[in-house]
Amino acid sequence: MQAAAPSVSRRLLARLRDVMAGSGTAEERLDKVVHLIAADMVAEVCSCYVLRAGEVLELFATEGLKKSAVHKTRLRVGEGLVGDIAAHARPLALADAQSHPNFAYRPETGEEIYHSLMGVPIIRGGRVAGVLVVQNRTMRHYSDEEIETLETVAMVLAELVASGELVALEELVPVDGNALLPVRLEGARLNGGVGIGVAVPLHRRITIRRLVAEDPEAEQARLRTALTAIKSALDELFERPEMRDGEHRDVLETYRMFTEDKGWLGRIAEAIRSGLTAEAAVQKVNDDMRARMSQITDPYLRERMHDFEDLANRLLQHLSGDDDPNGGNDLPDDTILIARTMGPMDLFDYDHRKLRGLVLEEGSPTMHVAIVARALDIPVVGRCKDGLERIEPFDTVIVDGDNAQVLVRPSEDIRDAFAEAVAQRQLRRADYARLKDLPAVTRDGVGVQLLMNAGLLLDMQHLHDSGADGIGLYRTELPFMARSSLPDVAAQTHLYHKILDQAEGRPVTFRTLDVGGDKILPYWNPYEEDNPALGWRSIRITLDRPMVMRHQLRALLRAAAGRHLRVMFPMIAEVAELVQARRILDLEIEHERAAGHPLPDLVEVGTMLEVPALAFQIDALLPLVDFISVGSNDLAQFLFAVDRGNPRISERYDPLAPGMLAFIKNLAERCDAGGVPLSVCGEMAGRPLEAMALIAVGVRRLSVAGPSIGPVKTMVRSLNVAAANAYLDGLLKSPDRSLRDKLKAFAIDHGVVL
Ligand code: PEP
Ligand code: MG
């Protein structure tokens, strides 16, 4: 009988519409509505509760319960089943409602004789405005279709509640956000960290008042003026001290080039010639672009399109004289910006000392605004669906970039807990700063080398704050991804030179270009692949395009002239690939020598171990390398055959599985015997518990993100390696899926600080 439900709902809706449009006061209409629903849904009771000030749900109309209870029965949000529906903003359908732990019996209603209950929230503008309930005497099992029908009816009722006829509008408008329910939105981590503040939605809706122009020349001139204004704003930006260096500067330089893009400007000029005003022409070209954008699946091309869209928006603001639709710097002191997307320039429109976080409905970690946010240390959660709709202006919002979540209107407890966590984090930072110059030596005297991972020039500042021993992994691809074209040898040399200068003599391990998979360069057409993680990526690309590799190696050799150069090749799956890569390096050294360029004092060559097959050639590999670094992110991906980017399965296997640890232990032993230093540079090395396990299986070098140096060093200094090693050894043959709990218990019992 499933097919009957929609027609019931349609019939009911038609009748409801008649009642709503009919005569009588709002309460009289509501009485009729509950009567209709009860009859239509064959329920003995139908009641409507409306949310009043102070988070109280008041019975406003009922069919079946005692009429004298109307306006008397009141429940707090969270109290009883009705309160529970409101608190969680989700439906409940219970055949035996009275046995539910939240059932709260209200004697004045006479509801004790009804056994089953189905209720749905009445939601308006993302907030609960009331609850609609039906009850039956029998133990009735309500179907999903019946729940849907009741939800549809609740939508109609929401309009009546919002009209202000039942409850004064002032009661409906949240004064301080308390009347709204907390919401947790999930997204993607675009930049880590936690920020707490007040929501400032960024709506870019510009109304074009004049569409048709008389004088195309005048419109062209207006367009030129607007473009000049944007360019000079960009020029001013480039003058700022924080723009001196770094990839965010590259991002904005690329953006500036768009202001001169001939194709795009040509299309706008053509639209102006056809008789449109400058703003209408920009809008038209942008609309065409958006239509095309919806068909483009490649994220990088989409991002470039976003930059154009952002530019179009800026032009429209200038042309419509609405330069500052969001009040610019008139921001609350702790601001969380909420936007569909943002262009690379946008963050600079605001006083970034007031920005605590950013929530975007779209976005990817490599999008330009994410790179800029990273430079400004602003936490960002992207791909936050319906963020603009679900977050109201001035809501309290917590942007938890670390866990890719946004907490909207959090309860006081949650807010306090996060504020405490932010404060604790600052305190811990101070503790870590004090540890900075102390050695990473365990309680039983084992030294651990703590290195740092970096990928942007701005990461280098952590090298000094954290006291890391050097850079164990410099991901060279990030600057390539921030630019609009392949950087030439001179640009690369300049960058690597600066990195080495900033390292002030500490070792820096440069990993050669590791693109492909999920890291695609905007200027290289991505190659369609079914399995990009297993596809044409990393060393496979650079061995196939040796000039790219040669230019990078040339730049590295030049930057390190007279100094020490460490080069590491990524994604090596077999020794033959390493031999080939080394040969290219030797060729390049010869080339430089022949050209009379000074060379580094010492060149050390290493490989990433990310593909398990390479470990099975360890005897052939060891004599060819000066060091090996385990990329545990990719290694886990390939050991468990689990896509690291697929949230559905990426958490399915634990790197603390006995199999993974046994693999690394074996590797550590073989490297130790062969006299080749082994490090681990994937994310697991930066988590204290995982780092403890790695040290216990014999790893003595860890390369971790800058902020993880302090926590890992604290762990190291509280660890007894011999005890951890003995404990873990007994567990490596265990059939358990993960040793996490046991390792945690060990840490607690042995005073290891995690
Ligand atoms: C790894 O795979 O663990 C690694 C360090 O490389 P990336 O995360 O850059 O692929
Ligand atoms: Mg990798």
Side-chain angles (χ1 to χ4, degrees), residues 56-73:
V56 172
L57 293 151
E58 184 175 307
L59 181 64
F60 258 65
T62 183
E63 173 72 21
L65 297 184
K66 290 185 186 158
K67 296 278 183 209
S68 53
V70 169
H71 296 308
K72 289 219 178 68
T73 296

Side-chain angles (χ1 to χ4, degrees), residues 44-167:
E44 280 104 19
V45 174
C46 175
S47 312
C48 178
Y49 294 80
V50 176
L51 186 74
R52 307 214 55 167
E55 305 239 299
V56 172
L57 293 151
E58 184 175 307
L59 181 64
F60 258 65
T62 183
E63 173 72 21
L65 297 184
K66 290 185 186 158
K67 296 278 183 209
S68 53
V70 169
H71 296 308
K72 289 219 178 68
T73 296
R74 300 176 118 219
L75 294 148
R76 275 177 289 107
V77 169
E79 183 187 0
L81 295 175
V82 169
D84 189 87
I85 293 166
H88 296 101
R90 51 132 172 72
L92 262 188
L94 303 164
D96 183 8
Q98 298 191 6
S99 66
H100 192 282
N102 283 0
F103 181 76
Y105 166 57
R106 284 306 168 98
E108 74 275 10
T109 61
E111 65 181 333
E112 65 277 14
I113 52 174
Y114 302 106
H115 282 98
S116 45
L117 175 146
M118 165 169 69
V120 298
I122 300 172
I123 296 180
R124 185 88 209 305
R127 57 186 289 253
V128 172
V131 173
L132 183 63
V133 178
V134 293
Q135 288 172 276
N136 281 79
R137 268 176 206 259
T138 54
M139 291 224 194
R140 176 167 165 185
H141 291 273
Y142 301 100
S143 67
D144 288 350
E145 287 76 15
E146 285 170 323
I147 298 176
E148 265 173 43
T149 302
L150 200 62
E151 283 182 317
T152 315
V153 173
M155 259 168 59
V156 178
L157 276 185
E159 298 308 313
L160 185 63
V161 176
S163 69
E165 292 173 77
L166 289 170
V167 175

Side-chain angles (χ1 to χ4, degrees), residues 382-583:
R383 285 191 235 143
C384 199
K385 217 166 150 261
D386 301 331
L388 276 169
E389 217 169 278
R390 302 184 65 185
I391 305 174
E392 308 259 339
F394 300 105
D395 273 344
T396 298
V397 174
I398 299 173
V399 178
D400 177 3
D402 295 341
N403 297 300
Q405 61 171 348
V406 178
L407 305 174
V408 188
R409 304 178 286 273
S411 67
E412 222 165 285
D413 292 354
I414 302 263
R415 199 165 34 193
D416 291 351
F418 269 88
E420 174 69 22
V422 171
Q424 282 294 337
R425 200 193 275 237
Q426 268 153 9
L427 277 180
R428 273 202 307 265
R429 261 193 207 160
D431 282 348
Y432 298 146
R434 277 193 288 278
L435 272 185
K436 174 167 124 29
D437 298 319
L438 297 178
V441 175
T442 65
R443 276 182 19 224
D444 50 344
V446 177
V448 176
Q449 197 175 29
L450 285 187
L451 302 150
M452 205 187 88
N453 292 346
L456 297 172
L457 201 52
L458 62 106
D459 290 332
M460 294 301 289
Q461 82 198 36
H462 293 299
L463 180 58
H464 305 287
D465 320 331
S466 66
D469 296 320
I471 302 288
L473 166 66
Y474 196 96
R475 291 181 163 101
T476 57
E477 56 275 5
L478 291 178
F480 281 69
M481 290 162 81
R483 285 168 185 258
S484 56
S485 60
L486 208 63
D488 60 16
V489 175
Q492 289 188 60
T493 308
H494 180 68
L495 176 65
Y496 304 145
H497 203 277
K498 264 199 266 186
I499 293 162
L500 285 168
D501 283 352
Q502 293 198 11
E504 292 173 355
R506 294 184 224 204
V508 178
T509 304
F510 287 97
R511 179 175 75 181
T512 62
L513 200 57
D514 183 27
V515 293
D518 59 343
K519 299 182 256 189
I520 297 166
L521 299 181
Y523 35 89
W524 274 2
N525 267 347
Y527 172 72
E528 282 289 321
E529 295 182 305
D530 286 342
N531 285 309
L534 306 180
W536 194 55
R537 57 176 284 204
S538 192
I539 197 77
R540 301 169 187 180
I541 296 183
T542 44
L543 288 179
D544 288 355
R545 299 269 165 88
M547 278 325 287
V548 174
M549 168 100 99
R550 283 191 63 169
H551 284 170
Q552 183 172 36
L553 292 171
R554 191 174 303 170
L556 285 168
L557 289 167
R558 287 185 188 172
R563 304 192 259 200
H564 180 167
L565 175 64
R566 287 168 65 87
V567 179
M568 175 160 74
F569 297 109
M571 272 286 288
I572 298 284
E574 51 183 13
V575 171
E577 282 172 344
L578 182 86
V579 171
Q580 210 183 334
R582 276 205 81 132
R583 206 173 290 141

Side-chain angles (χ1 to χ4, degrees), residues 4-30:
S7 66
V8 170
S9 144
R10 250 199 310 277
R11 191 184 60 215
L12 181 56
L13 283 177
R15 290 190 186 159
L16 281 177
R17 200 184 47 223
D18 294 344
V19 172
M20 303 281 259
S23 57
T25 64
E27 290 223 17
E28 284 164 355
R29 276 179 283 149
L30 189 61

Side-chain angles (χ1 to χ4, degrees), residues 473 475 511 514 519 608 610 631-634 644 681-682:
L473 166 66
R475 291 181 163 101
R511 179 175 75 181
D514 183 27
K519 299 182 256 189
M608 296 278 291
E610 308 178 270
S632 55
N633 307 334
D634 273 312
R644 69 192 245 195
C681 63

